[in-house]
């Protein structure tokens, strides 16, 4: 099961989004593949998400010892988006965008221990 119906599909508000690591503003700003718009909002930052799945389910492929968790509804409320972008070996892969690194950091902190590490 992927995080959306198809690549590029939006993820519903009830789903959880999980991102590995410390989730500081700097980590969002320097994320692999990240791009910025003229307002300083970051796009194309990797997370895992899937409707109806637990934190442990979607964190399985995350290599980091700690993870940040946000509900997708909070990301949407902050002006952000979560879109399906499944990868080989990680059907839960998604991309977030539309918030500043500081906003995303606030949504994904504090971090917790990754249940798989």
């Amino acid at each position: 099961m992927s995080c959306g119906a198809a690549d590029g599909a939006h993820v519903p508000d009830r789903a959880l989004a999980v991102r590995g690591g410390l989730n500081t503003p700097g980590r969002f700003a320097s994320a692999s593949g990240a791009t910025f718009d003229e307002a300083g909002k970051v796009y194309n930052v990797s997370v895992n998400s899937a409707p109806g799945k637990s934190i442990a389910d979607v964190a399985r492929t995350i290599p980091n010892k700690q993870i940040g968790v946000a509900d997708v509804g909070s990301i949407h409320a902050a002006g952000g988006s979560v879109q399906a972008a499944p990868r080989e070996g990680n059907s839960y892969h998604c991309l977030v965008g539309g918030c500043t690194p500081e906003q995303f950091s606030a949504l994904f902190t504090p971090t917790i221990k990754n249940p798989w590490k």
Side-chain angles (χ1 to χ4, degrees), residues 3-4 8-19 28 35 37 41-49 70-85 92-101 103-104 107-108:
C3 68
H10 290 275
V11 180
D13 284 352
R14 293 186 317 248
L16 297 173
V18 178
R19 177 156 172 82
F28 279 94
T35 61
D37 66 13
K41 294 179 180 178
V42 66
Y43 295 86
N44 301 317
V45 176
S46 292
V47 299
N48 281 1
S49 185
D71 66 272
V72 172
S74 294
I75 295 169
H76 290 158
S81 65
V82 182
Q83 293 188 324
Y92 298 146
H93 183 260
C94 297
L95 296 171
V96 296
C99 292
T100 65
Q103 287 173 304
F104 277 132
L107 289 165
F108 284 91

Side-chain angles (χ1 to χ4, degrees), residues 38-65:
E38 62 282 347
K41 294 179 180 178
V42 66
Y43 295 86
N44 301 317
V45 176
S46 292
V47 299
N48 281 1
S49 185
K53 297 294 182 179
S54 70
I55 293 169
D57 290 335
V58 296
R60 178 173 248 148
T61 61
I62 296 175
N64 306 76
K65 291 182 181 180

